[in-house]
């Protein structure tokens, strides 16, 4: 199922004007706070009526201002997980989870297998909470219940509005694996709003970049993240390519060896069984470049690569795109270094990466 | 115990309870609708509706009674129609006393309910909508349970106010023992008789007991409902 969105809406001092398509899988709407992300999904959910626009989900037109169509939220069958969970305080967790089931057509047959209460409760690890009330839950638990509640309403599309934004790092780490399981186990298109690149890199299949109400880039996650032109929109500190790798061996000294197209990569212990495919986000600022293979250096990962292109910004830095065995790696170096090393497209180099510089949050399951 | 009050006094107590109960039960759904409209809807004449609802609170009760008499009396604009078409007469009947009590208690009821509705986070109702609930269902499954403490408080407040209503009642339905003589009217009548202070005092005690009982009951109910609603 494919979601097609085209919107135009004027606010005081701000105009939203964009169009994009979201294929199956997780599509991340990425942009700074106030760039219009939430407005977009509110329009998709029917909570906000755009001045002009068209929203189609599969064969169903949800909004078409030109034709005067605007389905009310309760007839759209879109699950919405809000930033602040919004659980019903007068109901238990179990009653909250089953709330949408009351109204969902076909929830009792058909898809019932895939979205049965037991399965979702198990998937989200909320079995011990069923009898409690929302007031007695932690932020992370509340958010997991909200996700379960949305899925159990048997939606055709799931909207997640920064579901992790209100949580601390520990809670985020607690929920991310559940989101990865959802992505891999449910055949449900998901629109995921976020301003945290690490989340997007781990979860998204497609990325839609939004800046000040306009679309700046859209495409497959690995492609967008390794595109130096998009790096500006992401913020240079957040720039970094995605490497897909397979867990090859857990080594005795606490390191994990992963096989990637660019060669073997060693990282601090990755808690995943051998054979698991993972996404590793390698920040451009963590990558050093050398023209000869460095000797006597502490960094464990030295990957042979070829310079594909060099993008110079207005500042003192340059973003170098490398081709390493078919995979793309970004390296952020100073212009002075690029000049001293004489970097030119086609030149062979070595990318140097410290094992410990890859943060745990940048290693995640691959769909 | 039963002979503590005279038969006539018992009748006044029973009548007061009946009048207040009818007034409360009938105005409950109307009050809820008006409170909801004032809290959530935007419409022309909202301020006028708001003013009309609150008028009995600030008008002298005798004025409200007079207006009721003019409107619902046998010759009144509405009263005439009720009498001729439905055979319903309110003036100088106990049902008229209920109408007077209901009108006087209405602003208190609406106020309590309106505050409760305004305290409900509309984002919860939005969430219910995305889960497939249409507007009426959202109201029944989310809004109503959340405002239950406010409804209880409003109903009990209205009941207590109706129990104590005097001015509008005596103007509209007079003070006929056994027919329209409510507890406050009976106290008033007792005080008109020389040496009637003793009789009045006993009725005053009954009045205080009922009012206090109603308040304690409402506190208890509201606290129970609030505990449910707070999500703990």
């Amino acid at each position: 199922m494919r979601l097609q969105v085209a919107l135009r809406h004027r606010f005081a001092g701000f105009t939203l004007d964009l169009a994009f398509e979201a294929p199956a899988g997780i599509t991340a709407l990425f942009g700074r706070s106030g760039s219009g992300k939430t407005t977009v999904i509110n329009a998709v959910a029917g909570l906000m009526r755009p001045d002009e626009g068209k929203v189609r989900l599969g064969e169903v037109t949800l909004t078409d201002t030109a034709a005067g169509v605007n389905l009310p939220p309760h007839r759209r069958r879109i699950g919405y997980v809000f930033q602040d969970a919004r659980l019903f305080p007068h109901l238990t967790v179990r009653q909250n989870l089953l709330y949408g089931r009351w109204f969902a057509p076909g929830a009792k047959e058909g898809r019932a297998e895939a979205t049965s209460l037991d399965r979702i409760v198990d998937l989200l690890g909320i079995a011990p909470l069923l009898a409690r009330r929302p007031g007695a839950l932690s932020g992370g638990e509340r958010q997991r219940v909200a996700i379960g509640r949305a899925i159990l309403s048997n939606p055709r599309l799931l909207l997640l509005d920064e579901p992790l934004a209100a949580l601390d790092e520990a809670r985020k780490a607690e929920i991310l694996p559940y989101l990865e399981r959802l992505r891999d186990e449910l055949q449900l298109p998901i629109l995921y709003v976020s301003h945290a690149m690490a989340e997007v890199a781990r979860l998204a299949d497609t990325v839609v970049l939004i800046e000040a109400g306009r679309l700046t880039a859209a495409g497959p996650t690995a492609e967008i993240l390794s595109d130096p032109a998009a790096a500006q929109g992401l913020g240079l500190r957040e720039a970094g390519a995605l490497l897909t790798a397979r867990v090859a061996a857990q080594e005795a000294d606490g390191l994990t060896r992963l096989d990637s197209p660019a060669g073997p990569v060693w990282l601090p212990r990755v808690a995943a069984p051998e054979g698991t495919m993972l996404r590793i986000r390698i920040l451009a600022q963590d990558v050093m470049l050398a023209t000869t293979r460095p000797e006597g250096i502490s960094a464990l990962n030295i990957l042979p690569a070829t310079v594909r292109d060099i993008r110079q910004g207005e500042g003192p830095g340059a973003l170098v795109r490398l081709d390493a065995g078919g995979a793309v790696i970004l390296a952020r170096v100073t212009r002075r270094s690029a000049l001293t090393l004489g970097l030119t497209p086609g030149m062979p180099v070595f990318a140097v990466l410290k094992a410990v510089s890859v943060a745990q949050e940048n290693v995640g399951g691959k769909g | 115990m039963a002979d503590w009050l005279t038969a006539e006094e018992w009748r006044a107590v029973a009548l007061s309870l009946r009048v207040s109960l009818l007034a409360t039960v009938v105005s409950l759904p109307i009050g809820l609708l008006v409170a909801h409209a004032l809290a959530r809807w935007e419409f022309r004449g909202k301020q006028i509706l708001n003013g009309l609802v609150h008028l009995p609170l600030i008008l002298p009760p005798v004025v409200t009674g007079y207006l009721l008499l003019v409107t619902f009396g046998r010759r009144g604009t509405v009263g005439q129609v009720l009498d001729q078409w439905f055979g319903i007469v309110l003036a100088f009947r106990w049902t008229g006393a209920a109408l007077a009590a209901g009108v006087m208690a209405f602003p208190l009821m609406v106020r309590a309910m309106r505050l409760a509705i305004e305290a409900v986070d509309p984002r919860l109702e939005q969430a219910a909508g995305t889960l497939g609930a249409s507007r009426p269902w959202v109201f029944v499954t989310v809004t109503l349970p959340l405002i239950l403490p406010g409804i209880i408080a409003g109903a009990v407040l209205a009941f207590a106010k109706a129990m104590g209503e005097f001015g509008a009642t005596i103007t509209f339905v007079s003070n006929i023992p056994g027919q329209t003589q409510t507890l406050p009217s009976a106290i008033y009548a007792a005080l008109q008789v020389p040496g009637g202070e003793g009789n009045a005092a006993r009725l005053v005690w009954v009045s205080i007991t009922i009012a206090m009982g109603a308040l304690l009951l409402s506190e208890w109910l509201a606290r129970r409902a609030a505990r449910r609603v707070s999500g703990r």
Side-chain angles (χ1 to χ4, degrees):
Chain A
M1 193 143 23
R2 181 171 284 267
L3 175 74
Q4 294 164 286
V5 181
L7 300 170
R8 194 197 306 269
H9 192 81
R10 291 178 73 88
F11 296 95
F14 177 74
T15 306
L16 184 79
D17 187 358
L18 51 77
F20 66 92
E21 288 198 6
I26 295 189
T27 300
L29 287 183
F30 183 86
R32 293 197 184 88
S33 316
S35 58
K37 308 181 298 276
T38 300
T39 309
V40 171
I41 62 168
N42 278 345
V44 172
L47 298 179
M48 174 269 197
R49 190 199 176 97
D51 290 343
E52 274 175 71
K54 212 169 174 176
V55 179
R56 276 174 68 81
L57 177 60
E59 293 306 305
V60 184
T61 301
L62 302 177
T63 300
D64 186 347
T65 49
V69 176
N70 194 36
L71 282 188
H74 69 273
R75 289 183 49 209
R76 296 193 172 212
R77 299 194 44 214
I78 291 178
Y80 196 146
V81 179
F82 299 91
Q83 208 179 111
D84 48 355
R86 302 195 194 178
L87 299 180
F88 303 126
H90 58 297
L91 302 178
T92 62
V93 167
R94 171 188 277 278
Q95 290 166 330
N96 264 286
L97 288 170
L98 292 175
Y99 184 88
R101 184 142 281 222
W102 258 66
F103 307 102
K108 286 166 193 78
E109 67 278 345
R111 289 272 311 270
E113 200 57 26
T115 56
S116 79
L117 179 67
D118 290 345
R119 173 139 186 259
I120 298 303
V121 162
D122 183 51
L123 199 65
L124 294 168
I126 48 181
L129 313 176
L130 286 177
R132 290 206 219 154
R133 287 188 181 276
L137 302 182
S138 72
E141 291 168 337
R142 228 173 272 176
Q143 211 51 271
R144 274 186 283 158
V145 174
I147 293 168
R149 182 178 70 171
I151 295 168
L152 284 168
S153 70
N154 200 16
R156 301 167 66 229
L157 168 74
L158 201 56
L159 304 175
L160 295 153
D161 183 12
E162 309 211 26
L164 308 182
L167 307 177
D168 55 41
E169 288 306 318
R171 295 282 151 270
K172 275 185 199 172
E174 166 196 323
I175 292 190
L176 269 169
Y178 291 114
L179 290 175
E180 285 174 344
R181 283 175 72 180
L182 284 183
R183 176 196 60 195
D184 300 341
E185 293 188 22
L186 296 178
Q187 301 302 314
L188 199 64
I190 298 175
L191 207 54
Y192 189 104
V193 167
S194 179
H195 68 257
M197 201 61 225
E199 281 169 41
V200 172
R202 270 181 76 158
L203 296 170
D205 303 298
T206 309
V207 176
V208 174
L209 289 184
I210 300 179
E211 213 177 306
R214 273 158 219 277
L215 189 101
T216 50
T221 308
E223 223 168 84
I224 297 292
L225 262 55
S226 60
D227 181 2
Q232 247 89 26
L234 301 171
L236 277 174
R237 291 197 157 275
E238 292 281 3
L242 273 192
L243 201 59
T244 306
R246 197 172 56 85
V247 178
Q250 303 288 359
E251 298 185 349
D253 57 355
L255 293 180
T256 301
R257 180 163 64 84
L258 299 114
D259 284 339
S260 81
V265 175
W266 282 270
L267 294 180
R269 173 79 75 216
V270 176
E274 282 175 28
T276 311
M277 293 301 284
L278 291 177
R279 293 176 176 194
I280 310 164
R281 178 166 161 249
I282 297 173
L283 292 178
Q285 60 180 4
D286 290 337
V287 177
M288 278 194 283
L289 294 182
T291 47
T292 55
R293 179 178 277 277
E295 301 280 338
I297 185 169
S298 69
L300 286 175
N301 303 302
I302 297 167
L303 307 167
T306 325
V307 175
R308 198 193 280 181
D309 53 26
I310 303 159
R311 189 184 173 90
Q312 309 217 337
E314 278 149 35
L319 211 49
V320 183
R321 178 154 54 170
L322 307 168
D323 188 320
V328 174
I329 293 176
L330 287 183
R332 190 166 158 234
V333 297
T334 57
R335 257 199 298 205
R336 184 183 296 181
S337 304
L339 215 62
T340 315
L341 295 177
L343 295 179
T344 50
M347 180 178 166
V349 290
F350 292 89
V352 180
L353 176 70
K354 287 174 70 174
V356 292
S357 62
V358 176
Q360 279 296 331
E361 61 165 9
N362 286 326
V363 181
K366 161 89 181 110
Chain B
M1 174 76 195
D3 55 358
W4 186 55
L5 294 176
T6 66
E8 194 172 288
E9 286 166 345
W10 274 118
R11 273 205 296 279
V13 173
L15 182 71
S16 262
L17 289 171
R18 193 148 46 117
V19 162
S20 306
L21 211 60
L22 182 69
T24 308
V25 169
V26 171
S27 50
L28 206 57
I30 308 169
L32 195 55
L33 183 72
V34 171
H36 196 261
L38 290 177
R40 285 289 165 81
W41 299 345
E42 283 308 323
F43 55 94
R44 280 169 64 133
K46 184 170 169 173
Q47 284 316 312
I48 294 174
L49 178 66
N50 192 32
L52 276 178
V53 165
H54 283 91
L55 215 51
L57 203 61
I58 34 179
L59 276 181
V62 65
V63 173
T64 307
Y66 168 79
L67 290 173
L68 284 173
L69 197 58
V70 169
T71 318
F72 290 97
R74 270 206 150 134
R75 304 252 171 82
T77 40
V78 180
Q80 225 169 20
V81 176
L82 285 177
D83 188 10
Q84 281 170 10
W85 291 73
F86 304 100
I88 297 172
V89 178
L90 293 169
F92 307 111
R93 304 283 167 88
W94 79 273
T95 43
L99 175 66
V103 167
M104 292 299 289
F106 201 62
L108 292 175
M109 178 185 264
V110 169
R111 249 189 131 69
M113 290 178 177
R114 181 181 175 172
L115 285 176
I117 293 170
E118 282 170 350
V120 171
D121 189 345
R123 294 176 309 167
L124 286 177
E125 297 167 323
Q126 242 182 16
T130 66
L131 291 164
S134 58
R135 287 239 178 169
W137 276 116
V138 173
F139 184 77
V140 171
T141 57
V142 176
T143 318
L144 206 55
L146 290 176
I147 62 173
L148 203 58
I151 294 178
I152 294 172
V156 174
L157 213 58
F159 180 82
K161 170 74 187 169
M163 283 295 294
E165 216 302 301
F166 174 66
T169 309
I170 206 163
T171 313
F172 184 36
V173 297
S174 183
N175 188 359
I176 309 161
Q179 288 183 49
T180 63
Q181 188 172 73
T182 58
L183 197 50
S185 315
I187 294 171
Y188 176 73
L191 286 174
Q192 299 305 302
V193 183
E197 291 88 349
N199 290 342
R202 284 180 295 132
L203 288 171
V204 164
W205 275 113
V206 173
S207 183
I208 291 173
T209 309
I210 292 174
M212 202 64 193
L215 270 174
L216 290 176
L217 179 72
S218 84
E219 278 289 310
W220 183 71
L221 283 173
R223 213 173 307 148
R224 260 184 54 144
R227 211 173 23 234
R228 260 172 54 95
V229 164
S230 73
R232 283 184 196 283

